[in-house]
């Protein structure tokens, strides 16, 4: 995403021609057809096509011309409303197509062209009925002024910059928060149709997010940067306690130059917290430990909500950085933030990995006479103990094959995993061992990190996904906000301790030789009576840690839940209801699948009445009856919302990807949807981000099967939408860094409602 930050208004001419539509729904049952026309909307201008009675109308309309500028195209979306004409009543809405013209701007500026002319086909989307046909339009864009890179800030979700650029400065964390009134709580909702409410909510989130991105780019520009990488977007639906929706953006502000320049080593970041997981120019010379800071806040209506929420995060960031300093580290990488809101209580969590950044004086990749005693050595990757994970799909480019050639030597920098050597007044959090490679430094006995899994030369054996969860019961009534928040706060330290213990135990069971877990992601979820904490990561055996018979002597070899799943014996550890048995049946393969994280029933309550109640639930009659209970539906929805919040797992990252909860992409989506390893050497051409509201007004969504169908359809529609948006990025374009998060999901007696936030980067395949 290329955001203009200069004061000049760079003029642009935009021309739209509506060509045709296809597979529209029947809106006029008397003639079994539709009186279709299209409204073209941009800013305050509205233009209409003629009315054609057909399910596949062809308009070939006259061009609609907008004389605008780049800032307006970045702030506002082009909207095409497909309508059904009614003579004696209001026109009926069929669906809408929203086009982010910033995608075209970014393509044209990066490829240094001033004219673009394309015909694109987009899905017509309705918040009630989903995808309702296709709309084909012709777009012409003419940039009337030349491109000056200093007038823009380039924003990407990726952790690295394109291969033809270099990072000259790293300024650190940049963030922006924007709050907006949630239209769902306005008094007009009493007379507004559900579709109008959904559209208003979707529009409010979209406008607020774009406003936040503009503010984020301006902050980065004032810091001296011209790019933001590692962008993370969040939408917090705060509910009736504050009637607000809060859009939060964080990223790493940097300055990039062309690769023909040789920048000097960059200094310490102004804000020593980075959302990227790796320091540029191999400047990491020490690895600390996993860091987490949490706080509980009671939400209410404030005069300046943005300032108050910003103060929450400032305090948490100061706390987590103090943790890093206490163990001898000077920087935090792989930093993430999350918020969970339930009944006016907000649980804020920030997570990162403490590392040591060098001052730039070390020689990286030099020829040392004594390789074994050097922190930087060259290792031949064809040694027997190194087994590189092969990608499921490879592109035909010769450059990509050369980069993956097993005969090419790769630099082996063991010092990036060394424990910090600075003197501190605190005890080290884990036991240290001599480095198995250089023998000069110390490494932790077991590594936990939010950084991505290192390249294949650093580990031996397979990569395995690992996932554990902890569920703590909350006794207080959610309506008693103070007591409810206090109970959650009291449960958090115990859940963290149990979570890490379960993680190490599971690691011993999944891969006994594993000694490091990377790509750690911590997800929290709160329902009325439960606090759930989930941790997910990739387990490997690092070569710099000495190989022992037991990777961690303190871990007992127990029968874990993953082992039970492999033995097809996990069913007995579930809730024991009919719907749980259904989950373990094979399902039809789709583009996206959601594997549910089951929250097992706790056995801590020894009360006789509770025991009799659990015994009664084991009867077949009560198993069936529970499907009609509100508590059952709430639990089913909570599990799905929690599993969606875990995020997307790339099946190519580890061999057992399908065995853990979260969203999984099918192999049929590759190579259009590529993994992070493949995008090296590709050029980013555009970034897309949008929010989608989906509602079902029928009473069909009432049990686990129908809830799963509703969620699956919503996810499938997002994949279909992304595929159609690919045409905006031009030919030979692939999708990378895709994220789908779920700010809200609820099911009541009358309707089901879900809000999904989608973001992707588009790359040109060489």
């Amino acid at each position: 995403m290329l955001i203009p930050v200069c004061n000049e208004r760079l003029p642009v001419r935009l021309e739209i021609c509506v060509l045709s539509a296809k597979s529209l729904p029947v809106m006029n049952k008397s003639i079994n057809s539709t009186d279709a026309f299209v409204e073209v909307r941009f800013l305050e201008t509205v233009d209409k096509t003629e009315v054609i009675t057909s399910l596949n109308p062809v308009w070939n309309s006259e061009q609609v011309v907008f004389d605008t500028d780049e800032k307006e195209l970045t702030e506002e979306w082009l909207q095409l409303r497909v309508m059904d004409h009614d003579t004696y009543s209001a026109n009926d809405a069929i669906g809408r197509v929203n086009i982010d013209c910033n995608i075209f701007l970014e393509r044209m500026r990066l490829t240094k062209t001033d004219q673009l002319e394309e015909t694109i086909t987009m899905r017509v989307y309705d918040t009630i009925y989903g995808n309702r046909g296709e709309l084909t339009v012709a777009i012409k864009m003419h940039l009337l002024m030349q491109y000056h890179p200093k007038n823009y800030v380039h924003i990407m979700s990726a952790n690295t910059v394109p291969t033809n650029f270099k990072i000259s400065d790293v300024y650190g964390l940049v963030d922006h928060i924007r709050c907006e009134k949630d239209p769902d709580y306005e008094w007009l909702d009493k007379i507004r149709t559900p579709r109008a409410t959904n559209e208003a909510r979707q529009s409010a989130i979209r406008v607020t997010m774009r406003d936040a991105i503009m503010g984020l780019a301006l902050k980065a520009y004032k810091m001296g940067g011209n790019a933001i990488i590692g962008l993370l977007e969040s939408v917090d639906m705060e509910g009736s306690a504050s009637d607000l929706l809060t859009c939060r953006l964080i990223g790493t502000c940097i300055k990039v130059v062309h690769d023909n320049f040789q920048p000097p080593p960059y200094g310490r970041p102004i804000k020593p917290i980075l959302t990227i997981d790796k320091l540029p120019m191999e400047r990491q010379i020490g690895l600390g430990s996993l860091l987490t800071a949490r706080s509980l806040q009671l939400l209410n209506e404030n005069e300046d909500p943005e300032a108050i929420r910003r103060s929450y995060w400032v305090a948490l960031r100061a706390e987590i950085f103090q943790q890093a300093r206490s163990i001898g580290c000077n920087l935090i990488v792989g930093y993430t933030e999350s918020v969970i809101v339930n009944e006016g209580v907000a649980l804020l969590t920030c997570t990162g990995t403490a590392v040591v950044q060098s001052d730039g004086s070390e020689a990286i990749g030099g020829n040392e006479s004594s390789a074994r005693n050097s922190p930087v050595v060259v290792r031949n990757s064809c040694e027997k103990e190194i087994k590189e994970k092969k990608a499921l799909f490879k592109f035909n480019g010769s450059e990509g094959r050369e980069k993956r050639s097993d005969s090419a030597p790769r630099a082996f920098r063991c010092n990036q995993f060394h424990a910090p050597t600075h003197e501190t007044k605190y005890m080290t959090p884990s036991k240290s061992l001599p480095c198995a490679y250089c023998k000069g430094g110390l490494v932790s006995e077991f590594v936990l990190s939010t950084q991505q899994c290192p390249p294949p030369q650093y580990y031996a054996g397979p990569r395995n996904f690992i996932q554990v969860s902890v569920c703590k019961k909350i006794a207080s009534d959610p309506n008693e906000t103070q007591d409810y928040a206090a109970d959650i706060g009291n449960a958090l330290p115990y859940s963290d301790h149990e979570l890490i213990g379960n993680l190490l135990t599971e690691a011993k069971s999944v891969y006994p030789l594993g000694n490091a877990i990377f790509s750690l992601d911590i997800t929290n979820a709160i329902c009325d009576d439960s606090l759930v904490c989930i941790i997910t990561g990739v387990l490997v055996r690092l070569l710099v840690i000495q190989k022992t018979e037991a990777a961690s002597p303190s871990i007992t070899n127990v029968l874990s839940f993953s082992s039970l799943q492999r033995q097809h014996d996990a069913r007995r550890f579930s809730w024991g209801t009919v719907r749980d048995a259904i989950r373990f049946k094979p399902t039809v393969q789709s583009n996206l699948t959601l594997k549910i994280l089951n929250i097992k029933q706790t056995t801590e309550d020894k009360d006789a009445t509770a025991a009799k109640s659990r015994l009664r639930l084991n009867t077949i009659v009560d198993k069936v009856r529970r499907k009609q209970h509100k508590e059952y539906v709430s639990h089913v929805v909570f599990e799905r919302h929690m599993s969606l919040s875990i995020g997307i797992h790339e099946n190519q990252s580890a061999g057992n990807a399908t065995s853990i909860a979260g969203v999984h992409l099918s192999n049929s989506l590759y190579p259009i949807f590529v993994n992070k390893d493949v995008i090296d050497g590709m050029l980013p051409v555009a970034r897309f981000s949008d929010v989608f509201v989906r509602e079902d007004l029928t009473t069909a969504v009432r049990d686990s099967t129908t809830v799963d169908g509703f969620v699956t359809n919503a996810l499938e529609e997002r994949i279909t939408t992304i595929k159609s948006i690919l045409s905006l990025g031009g030919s030979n374009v692939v999708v990378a860094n895709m994220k789908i998060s779920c700010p809200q999901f609820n099911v009541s007696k009358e309707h089901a409602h879900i809000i999904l936030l989608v973001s992707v980067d588009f790359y040109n395949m060489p």
Side-chain angles (χ1 to χ4, degrees), residues 26 45 84 88 132 137 319 379 383 527 663:
V26 174
T45 305
D84 172 58
Y88 302 106
R132 309 185 83 187
V137 298
E319 179 183 341
R379 182 185 184 90
E383 294 183 20
C527 68
V663 181

Side-chain angles (χ1 to χ4, degrees), residues 178-179 181 242 244 300-309:
R178 287 284 290 112
C179 295
K181 280 290 184 182
S242 64
L244 293 177
N300 47 50
E301 296 184 7
N302 306 112
E303 293 184 359
D304 192 355
E306 294 176 5
I308 291 175
R309 283 148 183 78

Side-chain angles (χ1 to χ4, degrees), residues 365-393:
N367 294 323
E368 301 288 344
S369 58
S370 178
R372 293 293 290 182
N373 296 323
S374 169
V376 180
V377 297
V378 175
R379 182 185 184 90
N380 194 334
S381 64
C382 63
E383 294 183 20
K384 293 182 180 179
E385 60 181 345
I386 296 178
K387 299 178 182 179
E388 182 177 357
K389 178 71 176 177
K390 300 297 182 182
L392 296 178
F393 298 90

